Amino acid sequence: MSKAKPDLSALSPETRLVAAGRDYAEHGFVNPAVYHGSTVLFPDTAALSSRQQTYVYGRRGTPTSRAVEEAVALVEGGHNAKMLPSGMAAITTALLAFLKAGDHLLMVDTVYQPARHLCDGLLKGLGIETSYYDPLIGKGIAGLIRPNTRVVYAESPGSQTMEVQDIPAIAEAAHKAGALLFVDNTWGAGHYFKAFEHGADISIQAATKYLVGHSDAMMGTVTCSKETWEPFRHAYEEMGQFAGPDDMYLTLRGIRTLDVRLERHMKNALNVAEWLRGRAEVETVLYPALSNAPGHELWKRDFRGACGLFSVVLKPCSDKATAAFLDQLQLFGMGYSWGGFESLAVPFKPQRTATRWQPEGYSLRFHIGLEDPDDLKADLAEGFKALNSAS
Ligand SMILES: *Cc1c(COP(=O)(O)O)cnc(C)c1O
């Protein structure tokens, strides 16, 4: 006995997180099974030669992969999605699916650093030219688009310096020139930024961050519009992409609680960011959700919420003082990635070629986790004590 199914596309974003991809569960269980499988058997030679059955080979899809793909596509508001073993694999596969020798790629200057290395290394070697643009360029991007510009790539906000991009203006200019717009949507997690409603043709996520949400698995997602789906799907299959079944399951599990986690990350991050803004040691807090912060107006216009990732520029102090601050912190771990339940702090020095980023003080990136923000502030206060006595 199964109950009537809701029309998923009519549901609110919060309900989508809970209802999406549920058709693949069997025997009355709420969740789909984790299928570990390569070979899929065919009942007879006729079925083998026609290949007309739902599942034909592990890499071509399992009930586990279909469930999570459907859920991601519904959360993002795209046509269909594919899962890849990391966010970086998602970026690489999406770009290689649409770029060929002689093409030009317009890449945002604030892009995730390993993606910059891809453009300046592998893509360059294949005869694909990349030029970088100012994240705040908005509709001015039209002046940089060339006849051979195939893809314009955005990441908003930039995951270190937090510039919010005018995605609708960039989408309009790209489409007018016949180019596609890709968006790295990891910060908005597909839930707080609806990339397709704002004109994206492809939305990419490091699901390693908020979809997985527990710092225990790596995953990438590429969600496509109807027009980009078939070419992307072919490239994905030709490149032999897929992802591990347990990690796909963990991604689907993470999606169920995405709304409540993000809501708390935002509440805690606003609390800590506001407190940091009042500290004498802090020059600027770069968190678009904070009133009067850079990018706040665009964020308010285009985003439904904010995650727990923001950055801070300190007032000038010595290397020793910054190190003393970071080394003193007990609740903030020092390490890469973000989007898990735990708080993190790392210093950063962004690589730029189209714009400049040279504040006088140190730049630090914080991920605010699900701890009590009062405990986090007390930890940071101890860090500032250490900073001041080391100066
Ligand atoms: C982490 C990250 C990636 C890469 O994801 P991995 O799963 O680590 O490969 C891509 N884009 C952004 C914005 C990220 O923060």
Side-chain angles (χ1 to χ4, degrees):
M1 281 289 282
S2 65
K3 299 175 71 178
K5 291 196 188 85
D7 170 12
L8 296 182
S9 62
L11 299 173
S12 81
E14 291 70 25
T15 311
R16 286 179 183 205
L17 297 172
V18 174
R22 295 271 295 273
D23 288 348
Y24 298 87
E26 290 184 305
H27 311 297
F29 285 101
V30 172
N31 291 298
V34 180
Y35 280 84
H36 285 262
S38 51
T39 301
V40 179
L41 301 176
F42 295 83
D44 50 38
T45 49
L48 183 70
S49 55
S50 75
R51 292 169 67 94
Q52 291 298 314
Q53 61 183 36
T54 312
Y55 301 103
V56 295
Y57 183 56
R59 176 160 48 69
R60 300 292 302 276
T62 67
T64 315
S65 70
R66 297 266 167 97
V68 68
E69 285 163 12
E70 260 187 45
V72 169
L74 196 73
V75 171
E76 291 263 14
H79 174 68
N80 223 328
K82 282 287 189 194
M83 313 299 289
L84 300 99
S86 69
M88 205 42 224
I91 294 170
T92 306
T93 307
L95 287 172
L96 286 174
F98 291 93
L99 293 167
K100 60 180 189 316
D103 284 346
H104 174 238
L105 164 66
L106 259 178
M107 178 55 91
V108 66
D109 207 24
T110 42
V111 71
Y112 179 66
Q113 214 136 300
R116 178 183 284 270
H117 300 156
L118 165 75
C119 297
D120 299 344
L122 184 74
L123 295 189
K124 186 169 180 225
L126 292 171
I128 298 156
E129 190 190 348
T130 301
S131 53
Y132 294 89
Y133 69 89
D134 181 342
L136 302 178
I137 198 167
K139 64 181 188 320
I141 192 103
L144 299 179
I145 298 177
R146 307 176 190 170
N148 64 336
T149 305
R150 179 85 176 109
V151 174
V152 178
Y153 187 107
E155 179 184 318
S156 181
S159 67
Q160 290 182 323
T161 46
M162 301 288 149
E163 292 87 345
V164 181
Q165 295 193 248
D166 190 344
I167 299 292
I170 294 172
E172 193 185 333
H175 293 158
K176 211 176 265 175
L180 296 170
L181 176 64
F182 291 13
V183 175
D184 183 327
N185 200 11
T186 304
W187 194 88
H191 188 53
Y192 279 170
F193 184 69
K194 298 296 179 190
F196 294 94
E197 287 175 17
H198 293 93
D201 301 289
I202 297 249
S203 177
I204 297 166
Q205 275 194 63
T208 306
K209 312 289 162 58
Y210 283 109
L211 298 192
V212 167
H214 293 74
S215 305
D216 53 1
M218 305 208 62
M219 187 63 62
T221 66
V222 176
T223 307
C224 298
S225 62
K226 204 158 189 253
E227 294 69 33
T228 54
W229 171 245
E230 281 303 321
F232 176 75
R233 187 179 66 81
H234 280 288
Y236 174 93
E237 285 175 5
E238 283 160 18
M239 284 187 246
Q241 291 289 10
F242 201 55
D246 293 307
D247 294 342
M248 287 194 283
Y249 181 82
L250 287 172
T251 309
L252 184 63
R253 190 165 85 158
I255 286 172
R256 303 300 181 210
T257 58
L258 183 64
D259 182 64
V260 285
R261 285 186 289 111
L262 281 176
E263 192 177 24
R264 182 62 69 88
H265 281 291
M266 175 173 172
K267 185 172 167 228
N268 287 359
L270 276 169
N271 183 324
V272 175
E274 195 70 73
W275 179 84
L276 280 166
R277 187 147 75 171
R279 289 291 311 197
E281 300 86 350
V282 171
E283 179 68 42
T284 338
V285 177
L286 303 166
Y287 187 37
L290 214 52
S291 59
N292 301 318
H296 182 67
E297 290 307 315
L298 274 184
W299 172 80
K300 215 163 62 180
R301 187 191 73 183
D302 293 347
F303 284 72
R304 302 177 62 248
C307 72
L309 191 78
F310 66 80
S311 296
V312 157
V313 177
L314 296 178
K315 296 233 174 87
C317 65
S318 66
D319 292 0
K320 206 173 121 223
T322 320
F325 172 78
L326 289 167
D327 290 341
Q328 173 64 40
L329 300 178
Q330 296 182 336
L331 293 176
F332 287 84
M334 208 167 14
Y336 294 102
S337 201
W338 41 281
F341 49 81
E342 81 291 9
S343 289
L344 299 167
V346 278
F348 66 89
K349 277 197 183 119
Q351 198 181 347
R352 297 288 185 94
T353 48
T355 53
R356 271 163 52 93
W357 173 263
Q358 283 175 324
E360 281 178 48
Y362 278 90
S363 308
L364 304 177
R365 187 177 75 179
F366 291 95
H367 178 255
I368 304 301
L370 305 175
E371 303 91 342
D372 183 332
D374 288 341
D375 288 337
L376 295 176
K377 289 183 287 188
D379 197 30
L380 292 167
E382 288 301 313
F384 283 125
K385 253 190 229 164
L387 180 149
N388 289 319
S389 50
S391 296

